Amino acid sequence: MASNAQSPQERPAGSDTPDEGARTPSEPGAADPARDAAVAATAATGAESNPAVTGTADDEERPRFSRALIPAVGVSVSAFLLFGLQIGWPGHVLLVASLVLAFVFDRGLFKDLLLIGIGITIVSLTSVKADVSWDRFITIGTVLALAVSVPFLIDRFVYKRRAIRFPFRSGKKWTLVQKSYIGLVPLLGWLILPFYFIRSGAYLNWPRITDTSELVRFFIGVNAVGTWDELFFICTCFALLRRHFPVWQANLLQATIFVSFLWELGYTAWGPLLTVPFALLQGYIFTKTKSLTYVLIVHLTFDLVVFLAIVHAHNPDFFPFFLY
C-alpha cells in the first residue's frame, strides 16, 4: 500500500518548512485562539476597528513625524480660524487645501480628514455663540446633530466600515483611581469654574436667564453641547486621527479643534488655560478607559457646575454656595 507520508528526501527531518497551505501562528490569517477571543470580545463591546478605543495602533512603529501631519495640522488650524478667530473664507480655503494635500499624500488619510472636515464645515454654517432663544436653540441643535451624524453615516454606508463608534460599554472595570477622579470632578468644578466665569467676565457670553422656560432650555443646551463635544471631538475626530498618528499627536490635533469651538461658544479671556488641559485630558482618559460613558460622566459633571455657576453669576441670589 502506498504511503501518503513524505519520504525523508521529500521533507528532511527537522525541516522548518511548513506543509503547503499551512500557516504558522505568526503569519497573517493564521489561526490564533487568543487573537480570535480578543476580536470576539471587542466585537461584543462595539470597540473594534477604532484605535482610539482598542489601542491597536502601535505608536512605536509609527514615525514621530511624517508628511501626513501637514494636512492634518491644516485641518485643525482651519477650525481655529473658523471657530476661534471666526474668519470664514481663509478657514475654508485652508481646509480645502489641506484635504487636497491629504489626497495627494495618502488616500486613507484623505478619507478620514474629509469626515472631520465635513463636520467642521457643518458647524461653521452657523454661529454657536450661546443663545437660548427658541430659533437659535433649534438651529444650533440641528447643526450639531448633523455634524456628528453625517460623518457617521458616510463612514457606515459609503466607506462601509466602522471607524467611528460610540463605545458606551468598554468591557473593562473602572479602576479605583478612575472612580476617585469622578468623585473629585464636582469639587474641582466648584473651586475653579465660578472663579473663572465671574473674575474673567466670561459669564457675560451667556444670556441672562429671565424665566423658567429659558432656564430649562439653558440646562438642556449645556448638557446637549457637552454630550456632542464627546461624540464629535473624541469619538469622531480623535478616533479618526488615531488611525494615522500616535496618541499624543492625535490628541493635540483634536484638542485644537475642541478648544477653538469652546472659544466661540463663550470660553474666552483666559478660558484656554482651562479648556486646553480639559480637552487633552478627555482624549487621554478615553484612550485609557475606552469608555464613552466615563468621559461623558466627567464632562457632564463639569457642565452641571458650569450651568449653576453661570446662572449664579447673572443672578447672585441663585445657588449662592460658590467661592470666588
Side-chain angles (χ1 to χ4, degrees):
M1 180 180 296
S3 172
N4 290 329
Q6 286 181 298
S7 67
Q9 288 78 14
E10 292 172 308
R11 188 178 65 188
S15 171
D16 292 331
T17 304
D19 294 337
E20 183 179 358
R23 290 189 177 98
T24 63
S26 61
E27 287 185 279
D32 187 334
R35 182 192 63 202
D36 294 343
V39 170
T42 54
T45 61
E48 75 274 17
S49 303
N50 189 335
V53 176
T54 63
T56 54
D58 190 347
D59 287 356
E60 293 182 358
E61 294 182 357
R62 297 179 182 275
R64 288 190 177 183
F65 300 98
S66 67
R67 66 178 187 174
L69 270 174
I70 300 174
V73 168
V75 169
S76 293
V77 172
S78 74
F80 172 72
L81 296 177
L82 291 167
F83 305 146
L85 300 183
Q86 297 182 36
I87 301 175
W89 70 264
H92 288 117
V93 168
L94 178 59
L95 178 59
V96 171
S98 299
L99 292 175
V100 170
L101 194 60
F103 183 83
V104 173
F105 285 171
D106 183 334
R107 299 297 171 83
L109 175 66
F110 165 75
K111 290 171 64 176
D112 289 336
L113 291 183
L114 178 62
L115 295 183
I116 297 173
I118 288 172
I120 290 173
T121 300
I122 292 173
V123 175
S124 73
L125 295 178
T126 189
S127 169
V128 295
K129 183 176 175 60
D131 189 334
V132 294
S133 62
W134 273 114
D135 61 329
R136 296 304 301 156
F137 182 80
I138 294 172
T139 299
I140 294 173
T142 301
V143 166
L144 295 185
L146 289 172
V148 166
S149 60
V150 171
F152 175 81
L153 292 173
I154 292 174
D155 183 65
R156 282 290 190 280
F157 299 108
V158 179
Y159 293 174
K160 299 187 183 303
R161 63 182 194 184
R162 293 175 175 267
I164 299 175
R165 308 184 70 86
F166 306 115
F168 288 97
R169 295 179 299 115
S170 68
K172 295 179 60 178
K173 291 185 177 181
W174 298 342
T175 67
L176 179 60
V177 172
Q178 291 165 351
K179 292 177 182 178
S180 300
Y181 179 63
I182 289 178
L184 186 62
V185 164
L187 177 60
L188 292 173
W190 179 74
L191 289 172
I192 297 170
L193 292 172
F195 182 84
Y196 159 65
F197 283 118
I198 295 172
R199 295 291 184 177
S200 70
Y203 75 93
L204 295 172
N205 294 323
W206 280 263
R208 182 183 179 89
I209 304 302
T210 59
D211 58 44
T212 303
S213 175
E214 289 183 348
L215 187 68
V216 171
R217 270 176 277 155
F218 182 44
F219 179 77
I220 293 173
V222 167
N223 286 275
V225 172
T227 300
W228 179 85
D229 288 342
E230 302 304 325
L231 297 179
F232 183 68
F233 299 118
I234 301 301
C235 291
T236 301
C237 297
F238 183 53
L240 292 173
L241 291 166
R242 276 290 288 122
R243 292 165 58 85
H244 306 276
F245 305 105
V247 170
W248 69 272
Q249 291 179 358
N251 209 14
L252 286 172
L253 292 168
Q254 71 82 16
T256 302
I257 307 172
F258 198 162
V259 172
S260 300
F261 173 84
L262 292 178
W263 179 276
E264 181 179 356
L265 187 64
Y267 290 82
T268 55
W270 45 275
L273 294 179
L274 303 178
T275 57
V276 169
F278 179 74
L280 291 172
L281 189 58
Q282 288 296 92
Y284 173 79
I285 290 173
F286 185 66
T287 301
K288 292 298 182 182
T289 64
K290 303 172 175 57
S291 170
L292 174 58
T293 301
Y294 186 91
V295 293
L296 274 177
I297 290 173
V298 170
H299 196 137
L300 296 184
T301 302
F302 272 120
D303 279 353
L304 174 60
V305 182
V306 168
F307 167 77
L308 297 174
I310 293 175
V311 172
H312 170 74
H314 281 290
N315 307 275
D317 292 337
F318 287 18
F319 316 121
F321 45 72
F322 292 113
L323 300 176
Y324 48 87

